[in-house]
Amino acid sequence: MSWISSAISLISITTSTFGVASNSLLIYLILTKTPHHLSSYSVLILNWSIGDLFVCMAALFERQRIMISGPSSFFIFSGPCTYWGSKACFVGSIFLLHCLVHGFWSMLYSFAYRYYILGHSQPRKGILILISVILYLPSLAYFVTICLQILYCSKNSDEAKLKAEIKIQLGIDASAECVSGYLNEFELHYALIYITIIPFVIYIAILILRKLTIWKLKSYETAMSEGTRQLHAQMLKVHISG
């Protein structure tokens, strides 16, 4: 392994470890130190923090390098997942991706909540938890579907064939590596849409909601209680000028 690969691996381990530690601390603070007037919103922060914690843990578990050649994608793993084989590593990779996309849904949920409570009372925690679960279902469906299709499709998941293709297409000897991936990612077009197009659409929706929220906060016609003003001051950090 070249010094560049070693440096990248070290950076990945360091950032992922920091992510695990910081998200663990944040989850602890949410559960023990959340002010009463932010108790409902803490459900959304907790939802996002747990997802990000799993992303960092999955990154440490797999420590993957991605190589792309035409329609083929190859994953070379060097993390603890290699003790359980390439299929375990591949599941870890898909798990990480599904957590990342769920993070976009969580951010959209957060901004929608901020806009909603400008004109309504705060929903109960139970309702917020239920919505969080519902928003997780598309990511869960993606995770389960891809795992089932790839793990039980010998054309894509056969490690020996993938190593041979890496040698043919990229000229790299991966015989001693733990390898997974798929030979034609376009066969999984619905999966590509979910991890590429959907986050883009969600991000556009977030920008729109943010603009609408700021506009409402600055509007003189919006009647807000002092508690609501304090809530938004802490959530959005928006300076409302006269």
Side-chain angles (χ1 to χ4, degrees), residues 145-158:
T145 302
I146 298 302
C147 285
L148 291 177
Q149 180 160 347
I150 295 298
L151 294 179
Y152 296 100
C153 179
S154 59
K155 179 178 68 173
N156 286 304
S157 61
D158 183 77

Side-chain angles (χ1 to χ4, degrees), residues 95-188:
F95 180 80
L96 186 151
L97 284 175
H98 109 289
C99 286
L100 285 175
V101 180
H102 178 63
F104 279 92
W105 286 111
S106 298
M107 285 191 290
L108 177 62
Y109 184 21
S110 176
F111 277 89
Y113 171 88
R114 296 171 190 181
Y115 181 76
Y116 173 83
I117 63 172
L118 286 174
H120 304 81
S121 59
Q122 296 186 46
R124 297 192 305 272
K125 279 188 175 182
I127 298 297
L128 295 175
I129 293 173
L130 177 61
I131 295 174
S132 297
V133 172
I134 292 173
L135 286 177
Y136 173 64
L137 293 179
S139 298
L140 178 62
Y142 160 80
F143 174 66
V144 173
T145 302
I146 298 302
C147 285
L148 291 177
Q149 180 160 347
I150 295 298
L151 294 179
Y152 296 100
C153 179
S154 59
K155 179 178 68 173
N156 286 304
S157 61
D158 183 77
E159 187 173 7
K161 187 171 184 178
L162 289 170
K163 290 179 178 180
E165 287 296 325
I166 291 175
K167 181 67 174 179
I168 294 171
Q169 297 185 32
L170 301 173
I172 298 174
D173 183 8
S175 58
E177 304 285 353
C178 182
V179 176
S180 188
Y182 33 87
L183 299 178
N184 186 2
E185 62 182 358
F186 295 110
E187 292 180 355
L188 305 174

Side-chain angles (χ1 to χ4, degrees), residues 11-60:
I11 292 172
S12 175
I13 293 172
T14 302
T15 54
S16 297
T17 302
F18 177 78
V20 170
S22 58
N23 278 291
S24 298
L25 176 60
L26 178 58
I27 291 171
Y28 168 77
L29 293 175
I30 291 170
L31 295 176
T32 61
K33 304 295 183 180
T34 299
H36 177 71
H37 64 280
L38 288 175
S39 59
S40 294
Y41 186 64
S42 68
V43 173
L44 281 69
I45 304 176
L46 182 64
N47 176 52
W48 184 88
S49 300
I50 292 174
D52 198 50
L53 174 64
F54 283 142
V55 167
C56 296
M57 293 175 65
L60 282 173

